[in-house]
Amino acid sequence: MSATSTGKMIQREPEAFSINGDTSIPSAKSAEKGAAEDVFGDEEDHDIRYKTLSWPTYQFIAAFMIAEIVSNGMLTLPNAMAVVGIVPSLILTIFLGVFALYTAKLLIDFKLNHPDVHNMGDAGYIMFGPIGREILSAGTIIFAIFAVGSEILSGQLALSMLSNNGLCAVVFLAIFSAAIFLLSLPRTLGGLDWLGLLSAVFITICGFLAMVGAGANPVPGRVVVATVPTTFYEAFLAITGPVFSYAGHFMFFILISEMRKPEDAMKAAWVLQGFSTAFYAVFSVVVYVYIGSTVASPALLSLPPVWSKITFALGMVNFLISGALYAHAAAKLIFIRFFRRSRHIYSHTSLGWTVWVLLCFASTGVAFVFATAVPIFSYLAGITASLFASWYTYGIAGFFWLHDTYHLKGGFDGLKRKWIGTLLATSTVLAGAFICIAGTYVSAKLIADAYRQGLVGKPFTC
């Protein structure tokens, strides 16, 4: 980090690779309008326009956030409640929802202060230099690919349930992966806006019908308790569901970069966190109360067969579109890294489209191979969530606030004047570190236990 003696920041601009010598040079028109700072610049004369999302169509912006966050993670919450009890689980779900709203605010403020930031790698470059850029870029790609893999596995489970295991699981994985790849191909998020809305609607209907199904078929003699005495390991294992159910902040920079007015992003964040927190709380309580301590993860497996098939069919739409959004995000980060400020970003060039399609295929293909060939993939997904989502959703937001307050608000004097914000930001960093360390420990122990108990299967099996 560089600063003058007055504490003002010397802005670093994210770099671009040179492809065939075609690096970017902002147009004179962009420079006149001051738009060159923005990652996509002035799009008035561009063939491909990215900044098409706007708040008047708020349902699309909020839907994108809901689609990527309120996904299959929601279905693990009733099981978490069964492990620790209603009261601790409900308190944690609401607290984490408020916490995620706070970190979203810090992230959005950082984006508004640095319009050239397109992804977590760009933010890492501004704060920590080239090493920070590479670590946060790699983490984003890895986490996005593992998220795609998780959605592929959820889709395979849904297809197997609907067909009564009519085909080999590997075939279902391939079918679902191919569908995700095709849906990820639009170059702009504006080309996916209706899919985002559709995904949010379907996962909401899925949750409501799951609650109706549980209420219509309560488990006789079920056990429902307010609190459950448990060990730290068991408790943290259970609460990873609530913790990572809000893990979508790693895509926020990419999403905000394609908004016409990024300053409206906080409105969408309010809709997202308000909806997801309320929905998570109601869903987990209702399903747990009617099914009890035997509720499975995902919870849809605890419903009667007919209800399970109906809800899986609806949830599968969300799994598919969420997977496409994650694959799109991984491809978009690399694509912008290679072609930033070049004509391949905004023109229909052969090289641009070839690279884009290959990146989308690679994002989905690697996820498919991991999900199919790595028997402990679900455990590794837990480790990636602990290593990266803990920071992207929670901890790194504290660094955003500390960095900008120091550089834009008067250095250490600014941090002292805003001591409450400094305390909260520091606590956020420490919370991210705790979740990262504890989550990684729990995930590693799960892998060791799985091998010891012979629960690890073989690759490419039905």
Side-chain angles (χ1 to χ4, degrees):
M1 294 185 289
S2 302
T4 65
S5 58
T6 58
K8 293 184 179 179
M9 179 176 56
I10 297 175
Q11 176 69 42
R12 302 185 202 230
E13 186 176 1
E15 300 173 353
F17 287 127
S18 172
I19 303 297
N20 294 334
D22 185 13
T23 53
S24 49
I25 300 177
S27 66
K29 183 181 293 185
S30 296
E32 289 174 3
K33 294 184 178 181
E37 282 190 351
D38 185 272
V39 63
F40 295 116
D42 180 6
E43 296 189 315
E44 183 177 337
D45 300 323
H46 291 182
D47 297 328
I48 302 174
R49 299 183 180 184
Y50 292 86
K51 299 176 73 65
T52 57
L53 301 174
S54 60
W55 182 248
T57 54
Y58 68 91
Q59 64 270 28
F60 295 128
I61 302 171
F64 272 126
M65 293 182 172
I66 292 172
E68 58 142 337
I69 289 181
V70 184
S71 188
N72 55 12
M74 172 192 77
L75 305 179
T76 67
L77 298 180
N79 178 262
M81 188 165 282
V83 175
V84 299
I86 291 180
V87 174
S89 180
L90 198 56
I91 291 174
L92 185 66
T93 298
I94 295 173
F95 169 76
L96 289 172
V98 175
F99 192 17
L101 180 63
Y102 165 70
T103 57
K105 176 66 165 59
L106 301 186
L107 185 151
I108 291 169
D109 287 344
F110 188 83
K111 168 64 177 175
L112 296 179
N113 289 334
H114 308 275
D116 53 326
V117 168
H118 174 261
N119 52 66
M120 285 289 180
D122 291 345
Y125 181 72
I126 289 174
M127 293 189 298
F128 308 118
I131 294 177
R133 175 181 57 194
E134 302 306 334
I135 291 175
L136 294 187
S137 293
T140 300
I141 295 168
I142 292 170
F143 182 66
I145 289 176
F146 271 82
V148 175
S150 296
E151 299 295 353
I152 289 174
L153 286 177
S154 296
Q156 175 265 314
L157 180 60
L159 290 173
S160 297
M161 175 71 67
L162 292 171
S163 66
N164 295 317
N165 297 311
L167 292 174
C168 174
V170 177
V171 176
F172 283 136
L173 287 169
I175 292 173
F176 210 75
S177 299
I180 285 177
F181 163 65
L182 293 175
L183 289 180
S184 69
L185 285 176
R187 287 272 287 272
T188 70
L189 287 172
L192 297 170
D193 51 10
W194 281 102
L195 290 178
L197 181 60
L198 191 67
S199 175
V201 169
F202 269 77
I203 196 63
T204 302
I205 297 175
C206 170
F208 276 118
L209 286 182
M211 289 187 283
V212 172
N217 301 274
V219 174
R222 59 193 177 279
V223 176
V224 178
V225 295
T227 60
V228 177
T230 186
T231 64
F232 170 81
Y233 169 74
E234 293 173 337
F236 197 88
L237 177 61
I239 67 174
T240 52
V243 168
F244 297 125
S245 291
Y246 296 102
H249 289 41
F250 79 105
M251 274 187 62
F252 280 11
F253 284 140
I254 295 175
L255 176 61
I256 298 169
S257 293
E258 299 192 26
M259 291 179 61
R260 290 176 184 169
K261 297 177 61 178
E263 58 270 22
D264 285 338
M266 198 59 208
K267 299 176 184 177
W270 274 102
V271 174
L272 163 68
Q273 297 304 153
F275 171 83
S276 60
T277 303
F279 193 59
Y280 285 165
V282 173
F283 177 82
S284 56
V285 168
V286 170
V287 173
Y288 172 62
V289 165
Y290 283 110
I291 296 180
S293 59
T294 59
V295 63
S297 178
L300 303 185
L301 294 175
S302 295
L303 300 175
V306 172
W307 285 97
S308 184
K309 288 184 177 182
I310 293 173
T311 51
F312 263 118
L314 293 168
M316 186 169 59
V317 176
N318 174 265
F319 305 155
L320 178 63
I321 297 173
S322 294
L325 287 175
Y326 294 138
H328 181 101
K332 183 68 71 65
L333 186 153
I334 301 173
F335 188 76
I336 297 297
R337 177 73 180 275
F338 272 95
F339 294 125
R340 184 187 289 263
R341 299 182 302 277
S342 78
R343 63 190 179 90
H344 302 294
I345 290 286
Y346 56 82
S347 298
H348 295 290
T349 65
S350 298
L351 178 61
W353 272 107
T354 299
V355 171
W356 174 252
V357 172
L358 288 175
L359 288 174
C360 290
F361 180 80
S363 299
T364 311
V366 172
F368 166 75
V369 171
F370 281 172
T372 308
V374 181
I376 60 171
F377 176 81
S378 59
Y379 300 110
L380 293 180
I383 290 180
T384 60
S386 299
L387 290 175
F388 302 117
S390 59
W391 288 109
Y392 294 153
T393 304
Y394 303 109
I396 201 170
F399 282 120
F400 292 157
W401 192 92
L402 293 171
H403 175 276
D404 278 4
T405 300
Y406 177 82
H407 286 291
L408 303 178
K409 300 294 177 63
F412 286 111
D413 289 338
L415 294 173
K416 291 177 182 178
R417 286 195 307 271
K418 297 178 176 292
W419 65 271
I420 295 179
T422 300
L423 180 61
L424 288 174
T426 304
S427 300
T428 298
V429 173
L430 295 176
F434 171 75
I435 295 171
C436 176
I437 295 171
T440 302
Y441 162 74
V442 167
S443 298
K445 190 174 186 305
L446 274 176
I447 294 175
D449 291 345
Y451 273 107
R452 185 171 59 253
Q453 297 170 14
L455 301 177
V456 178
K458 297 180 179 180
F460 300 106
T461 58
C462 294

